[in-house]
Amino acid sequence: MLEIWIPVLITLFGLAVGSFLNVCIYRIPRTDVSIHSPRRSFCPECSNPISAYDNIPILSYLILRGKCRQCRATISVLYPLVELATAGLFLGMYYHFGLTLEFLLALAFIGLLLPIAVIDAQHYIIPNVLIATGLVLGFVIVCGIAYQRADVWYLLTRLIGTVAGGMVLWLVAVIGSAILRKKAMGGGDIKLMALNGLFLGAWPELAMVIAFSALSGAVVGTVLIISGVKSRQSPIPYGPFLAGAAVLVLLWGDRLWRMYLQFVGWN
Ligand SMILES: [Zn+2]
């Protein structure tokens, strides 16, 4: 009986977390507001506080038809999308990992990657507070998993991954900048890659993250330039691609790596 309710509870939990992530996404890059003040959510257009019944994930957006009750300003579709993505990814992680510490690690990772990706796409920054939170949270849960498995090597690979992730992307940034003769990557991307190393491990996970993010970044960048959305000179944030690749590796890294080894004839 309980088994039916677990996915429902995780979905509701994901929607609630997604709603909180929306607050983070709006407030962290802005200096005039903080996470806890003002306490109530407000309409960015008319600054009126949003009442609790208008602040239910997804549902309120549908009932209000995407408009503020007070000033009728359009509410960004990003809000329900972030809530849906959080709930969907949480549920996906549950079916993948079950109720384990690895599941907890995945939830923390998703809760950080989503705001990092959206804030980088909107503001071209990856806030240090998210990286720092991730490093602390990730380290604690990784220690817990290593303890549970009685496996020091697990902890060690994650620490190696943290250092290697930062160093490898720093090298890519230096070489890329030299070849392209412009800044190829920001400091935020380097820190995000260190976070990826902590949550995913070093080899082959980090290599896959670099391959998938570079590939998807190149495809999307080309499409944006051809369609005229971006010019050749305008910067395209790399954070969303690093985050997307990290989720892919988190869920299917093992399988994709085995497929690759088979493909090149190593196995
Ligand atoms: Zn309003």
Side-chain angles (χ1 to χ4, degrees):
M1 192 59 203
L2 188 69
E3 260 105 88
I4 315 166
W5 286 105
I6 293 174
V8 177
L9 287 175
I10 287 170
T11 306
L12 292 177
F13 177 63
L15 290 173
V17 171
S19 183
F20 172 69
L21 294 184
N22 277 323
V23 175
C24 296
I25 288 165
Y26 183 82
R27 294 189 179 195
I28 287 175
R30 289 175 172 84
T31 48
D32 52 336
V33 283
S34 76
I35 288 297
H36 36 80
S37 96
R39 290 208 44 159
R40 290 273 290 280
S41 285
F42 58 91
C43 167
E45 209 57 48
C46 65
S47 300
N48 275 312
I50 295 164
S51 38
Y53 55 83
D54 280 343
N55 211 1
I56 306 160
I58 314 282
L59 223 59
S60 292
Y61 183 86
L62 294 175
I63 292 169
L64 293 168
R65 294 205 190 87
K67 290 192 172 23
C68 169
R69 188 184 285 277
Q70 316 280 346
C71 69
R72 313 302 300 160
T74 308
I75 304 166
S76 170
V77 71
L78 207 63
Y79 291 99
L81 281 183
V82 165
E83 288 158 358
L84 269 181
T86 311
L89 285 167
F90 275 23
L91 201 59
M93 294 303 158
Y94 167 66
Y95 284 117
H96 194 82
F97 292 106
L99 290 180
T100 57
L101 279 178
E102 285 80 359
F103 172 57
L104 191 66
L105 189 70
L107 293 196
F109 200 26
I110 297 298
L112 291 156
L113 287 178
L114 259 170
I116 284 173
V118 178
I119 291 173
D120 194 24
Q122 288 179 332
H123 304 273
Y124 302 101
I125 51 160
I126 296 178
N128 279 331
V129 61
L130 291 174
I131 300 290
T133 308
L135 288 177
V136 173
L137 217 57
F139 179 71
V140 170
I141 305 173
V142 160
C143 281
I145 294 173
Y147 178 78
Q148 192 184 48
R149 296 185 184 179
D151 184 359
V152 184
W153 181 239
Y154 176 85
L155 175 63
L156 218 58
T157 55
R158 301 300 164 122
L159 295 182
I160 293 169
T162 313
V163 177
M167 271 172 50
V168 165
L169 215 66
W170 177 76
L171 268 178
V172 171
V174 170
I175 295 167
S177 301
I179 293 171
L180 299 169
R181 294 209 183 83
K182 64 174 185 181
K183 204 170 172 225
M185 214 162 278
D189 299 321
I190 295 170
K191 294 175 210 163
L192 173 54
M193 198 57 178
L195 202 64
N196 282 341
L198 176 62
F199 279 83
L200 296 172
W203 179 264
E205 290 83 1
L206 290 179
M208 286 194 279
V209 170
I210 290 178
F212 295 146
S213 61
L215 199 67
S216 57
V219 171
V220 173
T222 308
V223 170
L224 288 177
I225 290 168
I226 289 173
S227 62
V229 178
K230 295 255 180 189
S231 77
R232 278 189 73 95
Q233 271 70 40
S234 57
I236 293 170
Y238 196 50
F241 300 103
L242 279 177
V247 174
L248 193 70
V249 172
L250 179 66
L251 282 173
W252 297 297
D254 292 351
R255 197 177 302 174
L256 288 167
W257 183 245
R258 275 200 304 273
M259 277 168 59
Y260 170 76
L261 290 181
Q262 258 166 14
F263 180 73
V264 296
W266 268 47
N267 225 327

